[in-house]
Amino acid sequence: MTALVGVLLGVLAAVFAVTHFSLTSNTDDLISQSLPWRQREAAFNRLFNAQGDQIVTVIDGATPELAEQAAAALYDRLHSRRDLFRDVRRPDATPFFQQNGLLYETTPQVRSQMAKLVSAQPFLGPLAADPSLRGLAGALSTTLDGATTGQAKLSDLDPPIAALSASLESLRAGKPSYFSWRALISGEAPSKRETRRIVVASPVLNFAKLQSGAGPTSFIRNTARTGNFDTAHGVTVRLTGPVPLQDEEFATLAERAGLIASLALIAIVSMLWMAVRSVRLIGAILAVTMVGLTCAAAVGLIVFRTFNVISVAFIPLFVGLGIDFGIQFSVRYRSEHTANASVRDALIASGHGMGRSLTLAAAAIACGFLAFAPTDYVGLSQLGVIAGLGMFIALGLNLTLAPALIVLFNPPPAAARSERNQLERLDRYILGHRRGVIAIALGAAAVCALTLPFLRFDFNPIHLKSAKVESVATLLDLMADPDQSPNTLEEIAPSLDAANALARRMEKLPAVAEARTLQSFVPADQAAKLAAISDAATLLDFTLAPLVNAPPPTDAETVAALRKTAGDLRTAAAAFSAEGPRAVRLAGDLEWLAAAAPGVRARAAAVIMPGFQTVLDQTRTALTAAPVTLQSLPADLVRDWRTPDGRARVSLIPKGDANNNAVLDAFIAAVIGVAPETTGQPFDLQQGGRTVALAFAEGGALSFIAITGLLFAVLRRVRDVAITMAPIVLTGLLTLGSCVAIGQSLNFANIIALPLLFGIGVAFHIYFVMAWRSGGAHLLQSSLTKGIFFSALATATGFGSLWASSHPGTASMGKLLIISLVWTLVSALLFQPALMGPPPNDAKV
């Protein structure tokens, strides 16, 4: 009946958990919103970042024209899907910046660009009237005529000759072929900033899914694929920003989930077999663990309704500790169930031998977990409550359902083992050299305690992510450009004048590279720049906007023009020996193109000519630049930097590597010294890390106090409590000291392993002390040690398999688990017996 009730309870809990399961992937809710820095963050976001989490699409083109065409097409597609995107922007290509972008260059740069544009006038004019291969050939011939008559230099044609040859020869060889008119006019290779475009979208998120931005992200990728925005067509589209970073992190976590789960299951079952040597007992342990897990999940959903990405970690916590309870009870049962003892008698003896220990261990572990409930780390708080309640569930099932299943499964008695216990020599040595063992342990603890100031908590979540993941690699790429880096600190000033004054103070700080306000968008030296632009616009007026446009050419007209230009090139080559080889090279390319099939010429036109129209349109717009004042700035730009009631934003950019924690720490400290009310991503990350670390420190201290109080209430002896808690402290110091020695920082991921390790350590030491108080001697030779040893191995090999994860944070968790469990065994099997010594005189045998 007990087994039936237990199984029925498990089925009902499983049905409830499945039908009511809810998991939110919204990491913004993991830390309490009531903290002052979180309130400042929320206030800034309400004023200047109302769009919320975003997807940043980074488009890199082989030429500036390809990048612009892809960005414009992608923007149009995203802007049309209001069901997926609340807002879509192109911050680097608004109409305002397209018209006035030149004003943000230096005056020498503007004058140089205008001079190059004017010098290209003879070449641009024919093309503007006839934007085709025929017009291109005609423009080349016209310029060649000028060179042969002495009105121009053939060397002036070196850039277009070299660019056209390279493009046509790539096309001829069947390789990807690109042609940049912007590079041709400027005479310089385009910079990364010129070949890169940004599209920023605010997606509609679904937090009911683990990857909340999966729908909008898939739409962007599908649009890029159907639009041929790929490397084969000279375009690379990459996604980054808060949404892809979070979604791809969850995807990375799941990447080897099957492998890790399989390794964990194999490891756990193998350790169970080595511990109990009975398939039936293994089946009972696993069944009890699964029933308990479903009950704990149901309780968690009843209490909180929704799991978060931290609280769902109750699963490994419960499995690790639940299996420990099962191993302890089953190993004791195995030792009691001999050929001369019935199943019933063995179970009664096991209950008498382990009942109090398991109860005290479960209560102590539950107190430890529940101590995390009051912390500001909401994810950890909920995890503590669920795991704490789960310990009582695990205890109840191991004392009721486990015995019932053992009766039903009726495992055969353990075979008598006559071999000498291999731990006997170690047991005698420790008991014979207690002072030496304790001295070594205290010395190791002291050394580790001295290293604690060197232990670091890495608050930067980027360091927990795989740099191979697209969103992370793209973010790191953007962070190299101060204009694109998200690691800025933000201030809110009462007015623009106050913001400008604060910016001037901030720019004097060595850690600050630049301070921006709305005033930063009013260019300097506009009169000189506008004069240079106006002069060029006057000279190029009819060049860029011809009065008469030629009709599209026939293929025969194109062939004739190509052959004529090839002949002109050969004539010019004969007259100018220095430039002759390059001219002859292009002549051969044009002759090949003229002789090719019409489809080849169509492909050549598709490679060369579309970019000309893009550059022509951009140039016409740029030559209409007008004076920029605060009053003429576009409304959406103003709204990003000043609120309707006059409050103004100051944005601060760090000097140095924005992905380096030391740089960010110095940056934050310098800014906080001047403006204590700062906010921004680096500050929020730093404070988030401190909040998490403080939550674990507070929870750990409360756990220690609660468990110590519970042990006092049960054990009623200061010495016995000290003997129980001292090895736990030693394990903690050895674990943290090892982290310092191997350079392993604590982080948001691996710190979650500490409650599991603390719970296991508490359980192990309580088992030993309770057995010792009951008169147990030479405990290293007992079944208790066997249970502890294999319980630790089951947890270490099972959850240590996380080390195989491709997610750096999860891998570091597996590493920390292995390290800590090794020291847990060392403390339990070496230090604990030395502390206890012979059983007390008043032990109850």
Side-chain angles (χ1 to χ4, degrees):
M1 178 61 72
T2 302
L4 180 61
V5 171
V7 172
L8 181 60
L9 177 64
V11 171
L12 292 175
V15 171
F16 179 85
V18 170
T19 56
H20 292 77
F21 183 82
S22 176
L23 173 66
T24 176
S25 56
N26 187 1
T27 56
D28 191 55
D29 294 334
L30 293 181
I31 297 179
S32 173
Q33 301 284 346
S34 63
L35 294 170
W37 65 270
R38 296 242 41 201
Q39 292 178 349
R40 294 202 300 274
E41 174 192 28
F44 177 83
N45 288 337
R46 283 194 301 271
L47 293 175
F48 298 107
N49 189 27
Q51 294 86 8
D53 289 340
Q54 296 175 326
I55 299 175
V56 178
T57 305
V58 180
I59 302 164
D60 290 296
T63 66
E65 296 88 336
L66 286 173
E68 174 61 29
Q69 291 161 14
L74 184 63
Y75 171 84
D76 289 341
R77 289 286 289 128
L78 269 56
H79 196 266
S80 67
R81 291 297 302 269
R82 291 297 184 180
D83 58 321
L84 293 176
F85 304 97
R86 300 188 311 274
D87 182 63
V88 183
R89 295 186 179 188
R90 289 191 59 195
D92 55 357
T94 63
F96 171 80
F97 284 112
Q98 288 176 332
Q99 178 185 9
N100 300 299
L102 281 173
L103 297 179
Y104 294 91
E105 304 285 348
T106 65
T107 303
Q109 287 174 330
V110 173
R111 287 172 174 162
S112 174
Q113 291 186 49
M114 294 302 98
K116 290 176 180 178
L117 191 60
V118 170
S119 68
Q121 182 179 18
F123 193 73
L124 293 176
L127 270 172
D130 185 7
S132 65
L133 286 181
R134 180 186 64 186
L136 175 59
L140 281 171
S141 291
T142 299
T143 309
L144 287 169
D145 289 341
T148 56
T149 60
Q151 297 176 356
K153 297 178 182 178
L154 186 59
S155 58
D156 293 341
L157 282 176
D158 279 351
I161 287 175
L164 281 169
S165 291
S167 182
L168 291 175
E169 287 166 6
S170 294
L171 186 67
R172 188 175 186 176
K175 299 178 181 179
S177 181
Y178 313 112
F179 189 85
S180 173
W181 288 94
R182 183 182 295 276
L184 186 65
I185 294 171
S186 67
E188 299 175 355
S191 65
K192 179 182 287 188
R193 186 172 296 185
E194 290 180 295
T195 58
R196 173 168 291 173
R197 296 292 183 270
I198 305 290
V199 178
V200 180
S202 300
V204 177
L205 301 177
N206 181 4
F207 290 115
K209 294 183 177 181
L210 189 61
Q211 293 175 266
S212 60
T217 297
S218 296
F219 180 80
I220 295 175
R221 295 196 187 282
N222 290 336
T223 300
R225 184 173 58 255
T226 57
N228 292 326
F229 305 148
D230 51 39
T231 53
H233 295 84
V235 177
T236 300
V237 175
R238 296 179 294 166
L239 304 185
T240 188
V243 175
L245 283 167
Q246 181 171 291
D247 285 355
E248 288 191 354
E249 180 173 18
F250 291 143
T252 304
L253 287 170
E255 189 173 89
R256 298 181 184 173
L259 172 63
I260 293 171
S262 299
L263 290 175
L265 181 60
I266 292 171
I268 289 172
V269 171
S270 299
M271 293 303 107
L272 287 175
W273 170 256
M274 296 176 69
V276 300
R277 303 278 179 172
S278 169
V279 174
R280 298 180 187 181
L281 278 178
I282 291 174
I285 294 172
L286 294 178
V288 170
T289 302
M290 289 306 300
V291 170
L293 184 60
T294 58
C295 292
V299 169
L301 290 170
I302 291 172
V303 175
F304 296 111
R305 297 187 180 180
T306 300
F307 294 125
N308 57 55
V309 293
I310 300 298
S311 65
V312 78
F314 84 91
I315 295 175
L317 290 178
F318 185 92
V319 171
L321 292 166
I323 285 180
D324 171 64
F325 291 171
I327 287 178
Q328 299 304 326
F329 187 87
S330 298
V331 167
R332 181 59 181 262
Y333 163 79
R334 196 73 169 152
S335 68
E336 299 286 353
H337 188 205
T338 63
N340 299 322
S342 66
V343 172
R344 178 182 176 84
D345 292 338
L347 286 173
I348 292 174
S350 300
H352 281 304
M354 290 300 300
R356 292 186 65 206
S357 297
L358 288 177
T359 301
L360 181 57
I365 296 170
C367 286
F369 285 145
L370 291 170
F372 289 95
T375 64
D376 289 321
Y377 191 17
V378 176
L380 180 64
S381 173
Q382 294 184 6
L383 172 64
V385 172
I386 298 171
L389 297 176
M391 291 304 96
F392 294 114
I393 294 172
L395 173 66
L397 291 174
N398 275 282
L399 295 181
T400 56
L401 180 59
L405 290 177
I406 290 174
V407 171
L408 288 177
F409 293 168
N410 192 24
R417 303 183 67 176
S418 58
E419 68 268 24
R420 186 177 181 180
N421 194 319
Q422 297 299 316
L423 292 175
E424 181 179 351
R425 183 178 301 175
L426 177 62
D427 186 43
R428 289 178 177 176
Y429 182 86
I430 291 175
L431 293 178
H433 300 81
R434 290 178 60 203
R435 291 185 178 180
V437 172
I438 293 173
I440 292 173
L442 292 178
V447 170
C448 291
L450 292 175
T451 67
L452 291 184
F454 301 98
L455 183 66
R456 294 290 178 263
F457 185 91
D458 189 349
F459 64 85
N460 194 334
I462 294 298
H463 298 163
L464 299 184
K465 306 175 190 292
S466 172
K468 298 179 181 178
V469 173
E470 177 187 277
S471 59
V472 179
T474 306
L475 177 62
L476 294 175
D477 190 10
L478 289 179
M479 289 173 69
D481 183 353
D483 289 334
Q484 303 294 344
S485 176
N487 281 336
T488 60
L489 291 179
E490 308 289 345
E491 292 286 343
I492 302 175
S495 67
L496 181 57
D497 288 341
N500 292 334
L502 179 60
R504 288 191 292 270
R505 292 176 61 195
M506 290 295 185
E507 286 185 324
K508 295 178 181 178
L509 299 176
V512 176
E514 185 180 356
R516 295 177 180 171
T517 68
L518 183 61
Q519 189 69 43
S520 304
F521 293 93
V522 178
D525 198 18
Q526 292 190 56
K529 297 173 186 176
L530 287 169
I533 294 171
S534 178
D535 290 344
T538 301
L539 292 172
L540 296 170
D541 186 14
F542 293 107
T543 300
L544 300 179
L547 297 176
V548 178
N549 291 309
T554 64
D555 185 58
E557 290 173 336
T558 299
V559 170
L562 292 172
R563 286 175 176 166
K564 179 183 183 304
T565 302
D568 292 341
L569 283 166
R570 292 190 183 278
T571 300
F576 299 93
S577 57
E579 293 83 5
R582 289 187 289 275
V584 170
R585 175 189 173 192
L586 180 57
D589 294 330
L590 294 180
E591 288 167 349
W592 163 80
L593 185 60
V600 175
R601 286 186 289 277
R603 288 200 300 274
V607 168
I608 297 171
M609 299 314 303
F612 176 75
Q613 194 60 51
T614 299
V615 169
L616 192 63
D617 292 340
Q618 291 175 335
T619 303
R620 289 168 179 160
T621 301
L623 292 178
T624 65
V628 175
T629 64
L630 286 174
Q631 292 71 31
S632 68
L633 290 172
D636 57 346
L637 175 62
V638 172
R639 186 60 190 84
D640 286 341
W641 291 86
R642 187 172 62 188
T643 64
D645 63 3
R647 284 176 288 180
R649 165 187 172 189
V650 182
S651 186
L652 308 172
I653 299 172
K655 183 177 294 183
D657 182 2
N659 192 38
N660 184 296
N661 285 357
V663 170
L664 292 181
D665 282 336
F667 176 50
I668 293 168
V671 172
I672 290 292
V674 177
E677 296 299 309
T678 193
T679 186
Q681 180 165 294
F683 182 75
D684 296 342
L685 292 178
Q686 183 194 67
Q687 292 303 306
R690 290 178 177 175
T691 300
V692 171
L694 182 60
F696 275 94
E698 291 176 347
L702 289 174
S703 296
F704 193 89
I705 294 170
I707 292 173
T708 302
L710 176 64
L711 293 177
F712 267 119
V714 175
L715 302 180
R716 298 179 182 277
R717 290 179 181 170
V718 173
R719 180 173 180 266
D720 293 357
V721 173
I723 287 174
T724 306
M725 298 301 290
I728 298 173
V729 176
L730 175 63
T731 299
L733 290 173
L734 290 172
T735 299
L736 298 179
S738 298
C739 289
V740 173
I742 65 175
Q744 175 63 59
S745 301
L746 295 181
N747 53 53
F748 288 104
N750 61 26
I751 200 171
I752 301 299
L754 296 182
L756 171 61
L757 304 172
F758 184 69
I760 289 176
V762 167
F764 287 176
H765 300 303
I766 285 177
Y767 299 152
F768 266 127
V769 170
M770 294 297 288
W772 172 72
R773 281 169 57 93
S774 298
H778 303 289
L779 291 176
L780 286 183
Q781 304 175 46
S782 67
S783 62
L784 175 60
T785 296
K786 179 181 179 181
I788 288 175
F789 181 76
F790 285 110
S791 175
L793 283 186
T795 303
T797 55
F799 297 102
S801 61
L802 295 172
W803 203 339
S805 173
S806 58
H807 183 266
T810 304
S812 72
M813 184 189 299
K815 185 190 299 186
L816 187 61
L817 277 163
I818 292 291
I819 293 171
S820 184
L821 284 167
V822 168
W823 290 125
T824 297
L825 276 178
V826 169
S827 296
L829 302 184
L830 301 180
F831 184 54
Q832 183 87 61
L835 275 180
M836 293 187 302
N841 295 327
D842 57 348
K844 297 180 180 180
V845 182

